[in-house]
Amino acid sequence: MASTEPVYERLGAKVLSLPDVIAQSVGFIGPVFSSAFVIPLVVGVISASGKGGGVASPVSVILAAIGVFALGWIVSSYAREIHAAGSLYDYVTRGLGERVGTAAGWLYYGGVTVLLTGLLLLIGGYLQSTIQAEFGVNPLPSWLWTLILIVVIAAILYFGVRVSTRSQLVLALVSILVVTIFFISVIVKLGSANSLKPFNPSSAADGWSGIFFGMLYGVLLFVGFETAANLAEETPKPRREIPIAVMAAAGIAAVFYVLATYVEVAGFHYSLKAITSAAAAPLFALGAPEHAGGYGGTWILRLLELVVLFDMLAVAIGCAVSASRGIFAMGRDRRLPAALAVTSKRNGAPLGAATFVVAAAIVTLLINQFWTGLFALPGTPHYFSLFAWGSTFGGFALVVVYLLMSVGSLRSFATSSRRVSVIVSAVIGILITAAAIFGSFYKVTSPTIWAPWLALALLVVGFASTFVLRARQSASSQLADLSEGTRV
């Protein structure tokens, strides 16, 4: 008699090593990219609230890192038991049930996809504007650069996960190494002007209030640290290597960000006015020639511009890999249409999900070209407005799912030997994610304020989908190699 047990789609062979999965998380975080463009939010010079850590921004980053390590411990605890490509979608399902888990999956992978599409627009615009500014030529318009990038991302997804992770490894490693050397050179040039002032909370203009607002934005620096878990299904030893990758990525990012925030404060001589004048890109201001107030020169500035590009590419690849694996997992469980779970017969790559991700990028490119009033910000190119909105949407979406995961972990590990450490981590995770969610609404104006509201709308749609789609038991609960039989 034929078996009625459903046949679940599978990804390719288990070919990834520890450096590959670390590269996924570090690549998605994009430390160099964030140090160039996101740290001003932590400082408070461009935040909607007008508050931030100011001169004491390294303290904000350290507090944010503590919260991220707590979230990382929860992810690691789940990763020891669940080895499926769905990662946080499966984790929330384990803790809060199928309906909430499905809603979280819609929000999480929808957020990552929106983040990717906005980032591709930004990279296209960055390439066009940087080449024109540095060399006085304009070989291609920004939209064509973005289209080329979409083709490259499609090829990377098609040729397999090892190509993706190795690309991220090279891009992220080179960019972090170059910028770290530059930061150290700035510290050396500062000499006696170096100070522990940035690590003193009393240095913050708004006191602890400013430090805590800086911490809210500081959490966004680490978004994506957990995405190594999406590759558990393609890793031979996921129970050991995914937790190591998640915590290692958080640690690498924490050290780099503390160094970056210190240099970006000390390099401007602890002056908020000076930091504000360079808020659009403090890293590049520091890399400018000495006569322009920087610590570098023309070739150093161009090198920094190049490695920032490298890091943006690593982030884009990380987003594409994460989104394609998660959408595949949800399609396999029929929480999304089954077509999204189609895989390549050649190498097991998630063709259906990858096609969706690429199509979303093309649609966003068309919107950028023909709907130039959508989420427009005064005085900025439209591609940057869409990126700013998309990054807000994506960052908020992931933080909400972190919150749900933290709440669910209290139930998932209630009888585990790790329950005490998980409870402590969950409490910290709930507090820091709830605070970051508050920061996403506080004093934020239109059109950016629409990002968190529409993200919540997507969460509701995902929950409603559970009454329409005929889902089946998740693969992580039915396939022996995707979950541990017993908890430890």
Side-chain angles (χ1 to χ4, degrees), residues 1 26 45-46 58 81 89 96 110 120 135 152 158 160 173 248 252 268 272 280 307 366 412-413 435 447 473 478:
M1 181 176 177
V26 174
V45 293
I46 60 171
E81 300 180 4
Y89 143 70
L96 298 178
L120 290 173
F135 304 105
V152 171
Y158 176 77
L173 185 62
I252 291 168
F268 291 103
L272 282 179
V307 296
L366 292 173
S412 294
F413 299 97
Q473 292 293 314
Q478 299 298 304

CSV table of all heavy atoms in Angstrom, one decimal, residues 1 26 45-46 58 81 89 96 110 120 135 152 158 160 173 248 252 268 272 280 307 366 412-413 435 447 473 478:
chain,number,residue,atom,x,y,z
A,1,MET,N,0.8,-1.2,0.0
A,1,MET,CA,0.0,0.0,0.0
A,1,MET,C,0.9,1.2,0.0
A,1,MET,O,1.8,1.4,0.8
A,1,MET,CB,-0.9,0.0,1.2
A,1,MET,CG,-1.8,1.2,1.3
A,1,MET,SD,-2.9,1.1,2.7
A,1,MET,CE,-3.8,2.6,2.6
A,26,VAL,N,27.5,37.7,9.0
A,26,VAL,CA,28.3,39.0,9.0
A,26,VAL,C,28.0,39.7,7.7
A,26,VAL,O,27.9,41.0,7.7
A,26,VAL,CB,29.9,38.6,9.1
A,26,VAL,CG1,30.7,39.9,8.9
A,26,VAL,CG2,30.2,38.0,10.4
A,45,VAL,N,22.4,62.5,15.4
A,45,VAL,CA,22.5,63.8,14.6
A,45,VAL,C,21.5,63.7,13.4
A,45,VAL,O,21.2,64.8,12.8
A,45,VAL,CB,23.9,64.0,14.0
A,45,VAL,CG1,24.8,64.3,15.2
A,45,VAL,CG2,24.4,62.8,13.3
A,46,ILE,N,21.0,62.5,13.0
A,46,ILE,CA,20.0,62.5,11.9
A,46,ILE,C,18.7,61.7,12.4
A,46,ILE,O,17.9,61.3,11.5
A,46,ILE,CB,20.6,61.9,10.6
A,46,ILE,CG1,21.1,60.5,10.8
A,46,ILE,CG2,21.6,62.8,10.1
A,46,ILE,CD1,21.5,59.8,9.5
A,58,PRO,N,29.4,55.1,21.9
A,58,PRO,CA,30.0,53.7,22.2
A,58,PRO,C,29.2,53.0,23.3
A,58,PRO,O,29.1,51.8,23.3
A,58,PRO,CB,31.4,54.0,22.5
A,58,PRO,CG,31.8,55.2,21.7
A,58,PRO,CD,30.6,56.1,21.8
A,81,GLU,N,18.2,22.6,18.0
A,81,GLU,CA,17.1,21.7,17.9
A,81,GLU,C,16.4,21.7,16.5
A,81,GLU,O,15.9,20.7,16.1
A,81,GLU,CB,16.0,22.0,18.9
A,81,GLU,CG,16.5,21.9,20.4
A,81,GLU,CD,15.5,22.2,21.4
A,81,GLU,OE1,14.3,22.4,21.0
A,81,GLU,OE2,15.8,22.2,22.6
A,89,TYR,N,11.0,31.7,11.4
A,89,TYR,CA,9.7,31.3,11.2
A,89,TYR,C,9.4,30.0,11.9
A,89,TYR,O,8.3,29.8,12.6
A,89,TYR,CB,9.4,31.1,9.7
A,89,TYR,CG,8.5,30.0,9.3
A,89,TYR,CD1,7.2,30.0,9.5
A,89,TYR,CD2,9.0,28.9,8.6
A,89,TYR,CE1,6.3,29.0,9.2
A,89,TYR,CE2,8.2,27.8,8.2
A,89,TYR,CZ,6.9,27.9,8.5
A,89,TYR,OH,6.0,26.8,8.1
A,96,LEU,N,4.9,29.8,19.6
A,96,LEU,CA,3.6,30.5,19.7
A,96,LEU,C,2.6,29.8,18.8
A,96,LEU,O,1.5,30.4,18.7
A,96,LEU,CB,3.8,31.9,19.3
A,96,LEU,CG,4.7,32.8,20.3
A,96,LEU,CD1,4.8,34.2,19.7
A,96,LEU,CD2,4.2,32.7,21.7
A,110,GLY,N,9.2,38.9,4.2
A,110,GLY,CA,8.7,40.0,3.5
A,110,GLY,C,9.6,41.2,3.8
A,110,GLY,O,10.0,42.0,2.9
A,120,LEU,N,19.3,47.4,-3.4
A,120,LEU,CA,19.8,47.3,-4.8
A,120,LEU,C,19.6,48.6,-5.5
A,120,LEU,O,20.5,49.0,-6.3
A,120,LEU,CB,19.0,46.2,-5.6
A,120,LEU,CG,19.3,44.8,-5.1
A,120,LEU,CD1,18.4,43.8,-5.8
A,120,LEU,CD2,20.8,44.4,-5.4
A,135,PHE,N,35.3,60.7,-11.0
A,135,PHE,CA,36.0,60.6,-12.2
A,135,PHE,C,35.4,61.5,-13.3
A,135,PHE,O,35.9,61.6,-14.4
A,135,PHE,CB,36.1,59.2,-12.7
A,135,PHE,CG,36.7,58.2,-11.7
A,135,PHE,CD1,35.9,57.4,-11.0
A,135,PHE,CD2,38.1,58.2,-11.5
A,135,PHE,CE1,36.5,56.5,-10.1
A,135,PHE,CE2,38.7,57.4,-10.6
A,135,PHE,CZ,37.9,56.5,-9.9
A,152,VAL,N,23.1,39.8,-11.5
A,152,VAL,CA,24.2,39.2,-10.8
A,152,VAL,C,23.7,38.4,-9.6
A,152,VAL,O,24.1,37.3,-9.3
A,152,VAL,CB,25.2,40.3,-10.3
A,152,VAL,CG1,26.2,39.6,-9.3
A,152,VAL,CG2,26.0,40.9,-11.4
A,158,TYR,N,21.2,31.2,-8.5
A,158,TYR,CA,21.0,30.0,-9.3
A,158,TYR,C,22.2,29.0,-9.2
A,158,TYR,O,22.0,27.8,-9.2
A,158,TYR,CB,20.9,30.4,-10.8
A,158,TYR,CG,20.8,29.3,-11.8
A,158,TYR,CD1,19.6,28.5,-11.9
A,158,TYR,CD2,21.9,28.9,-12.5
A,158,TYR,CE1,19.5,27.4,-12.7
A,158,TYR,CE2,21.8,27.8,-13.4
A,158,TYR,CZ,20.7,27.1,-13.5
A,158,TYR,OH,20.6,26.0,-14.3
A,160,GLY,N,24.1,28.3,-6.8
A,160,GLY,CA,24.2,27.5,-5.5
A,160,GLY,C,24.7,28.4,-4.4
A,160,GLY,O,25.3,29.4,-4.5
A,173,LEU,N,35.1,40.3,4.3
A,173,LEU,CA,36.4,40.2,4.9
A,173,LEU,C,37.3,41.3,4.4
A,173,LEU,O,38.0,42.0,5.3
A,173,LEU,CB,37.1,38.8,4.6
A,173,LEU,CG,38.4,38.6,5.3
A,173,LEU,CD1,38.3,38.6,6.8
A,173,LEU,CD2,39.0,37.2,4.8
A,248,ALA,N,29.3,34.3,17.0
A,248,ALA,CA,30.5,34.9,16.4
A,248,ALA,C,30.2,36.1,15.6
A,248,ALA,O,31.0,37.1,15.7
A,248,ALA,CB,31.3,33.9,15.6
A,252,ILE,N,31.8,39.7,16.4
A,252,ILE,CA,32.6,40.5,15.4
A,252,ILE,C,32.0,41.9,15.2
A,252,ILE,O,32.7,42.9,15.2
A,252,ILE,CB,32.7,39.7,14.1
A,252,ILE,CG1,33.5,38.4,14.3
A,252,ILE,CG2,33.3,40.6,13.0
A,252,ILE,CD1,33.4,37.5,13.1
A,268,PHE,N,36.1,63.5,15.1
A,268,PHE,CA,35.6,64.8,14.9
A,268,PHE,C,35.8,65.6,16.2
A,268,PHE,O,35.0,66.6,16.5
A,268,PHE,CB,34.1,64.8,14.6
A,268,PHE,CG,33.8,64.2,13.2
A,268,PHE,CD1,33.4,62.9,13.0
A,268,PHE,CD2,34.0,65.0,12.1
A,268,PHE,CE1,33.2,62.4,11.7
A,268,PHE,CE2,33.8,64.5,10.8
A,268,PHE,CZ,33.4,63.2,10.6
A,272,LEU,N,29.7,67.4,18.6
A,272,LEU,CA,28.5,67.1,17.9
A,272,LEU,C,28.2,67.9,16.7
A,272,LEU,O,27.7,67.5,15.7
A,272,LEU,CB,27.3,67.1,18.8
A,272,LEU,CG,27.1,66.0,19.9
A,272,LEU,CD1,25.9,66.2,20.7
A,272,LEU,CD2,27.0,64.7,19.1
A,280,ALA,N,25.9,62.8,6.8
A,280,ALA,CA,25.5,62.0,5.7
A,280,ALA,C,26.4,60.8,5.4
A,280,ALA,O,26.0,59.8,5.0
A,280,ALA,CB,25.4,62.9,4.4
A,307,VAL,N,35.4,49.8,-0.7
A,307,VAL,CA,35.0,48.7,0.3
A,307,VAL,C,33.6,48.9,0.8
A,307,VAL,O,33.0,47.9,1.2
A,307,VAL,CB,36.1,48.6,1.4
A,307,VAL,CG1,37.4,48.2,0.8
A,307,VAL,CG2,36.2,49.9,2.2
A,366,LEU,N,11.1,49.2,-11.3
A,366,LEU,CA,10.1,49.9,-12.2
A,366,LEU,C,9.4,50.9,-11.4
A,366,LEU,O,9.1,52.0,-11.9
A,366,LEU,CB,9.1,48.8,-12.7
A,366,LEU,CG,9.7,47.8,-13.7
A,366,LEU,CD1,8.7,46.7,-14.1
A,366,LEU,CD2,10.2,48.6,-15.0
A,412,SER,N,8.8,27.5,24.7
A,412,SER,CA,9.5,26.4,24.1
A,412,SER,C,10.5,25.7,25.0
A,412,SER,O,10.7,24.5,25.0
A,412,SER,CB,10.3,26.9,22.9
A,412,SER,OG,9.4,27.4,21.9
A,413,PHE,N,11.2,26.5,25.9
A,413,PHE,CA,12.3,26.0,26.7
A,413,PHE,C,11.9,25.9,28.2
A,413,PHE,O,12.7,25.9,29.1
A,413,PHE,CB,13.5,26.8,26.5
A,413,PHE,CG,14.0,26.8,25.1
A,413,PHE,CD1,13.7,27.8,24.2
A,413,PHE,CD2,14.8,25.7,24.6
A,413,PHE,CE1,14.2,27.8,22.9
A,413,PHE,CE2,15.2,25.7,23.3
A,413,PHE,CZ,14.9,26.7,22.5
A,435,ALA,N,11.6,48.3,23.1
A,435,ALA,CA,12.1,49.6,23.0
A,435,ALA,C,12.4,50.1,21.6
A,435,ALA,O,12.2,51.2,21.2
A,435,ALA,CB,13.4,49.7,23.9
A,447,PRO,N,6.9,60.2,5.0
A,447,PRO,CA,6.3,58.9,4.7
A,447,PRO,C,6.9,57.8,5.5
A,447,PRO,O,6.5,56.6,5.4
A,447,PRO,CB,6.5,58.8,3.2
A,447,PRO,CG,7.9,59.4,3.0
A,447,PRO,CD,7.9,60.6,3.9
A,473,GLN,N,1.9,20.0,8.2
A,473,GLN,CA,2.9,20.1,9.2
A,473,GLN,C,4.3,20.5,8.7
A,473,GLN,O,4.7,20.2,7.6
A,473,GLN,CB,3.1,18.7,9.8
A,473,GLN,CG,1.8,18.2,10.6
A,473,GLN,CD,1.6,19.0,11.8
A,473,GLN,OE1,2.5,19.3,12.6
A,473,GLN,NE2,0.3,19.4,12.0
A,478,GLN,N,8.7,17.1,10.8
A,478,GLN,CA,8.4,15.8,10.2
A,478,GLN,C,9.6,15.1,9.6
A,478,GLN,O,9.6,13.9,9.4
A,478,GLN,CB,7.4,16.0,9.0
A,478,GLN,CG,6.1,16.6,9.4
A,478,GLN,CD,5.3,15.7,10.4
A,478,GLN,OE1,5.0,14.6,10.1
A,478,GLN,NE2,5.0,16.2,11.6
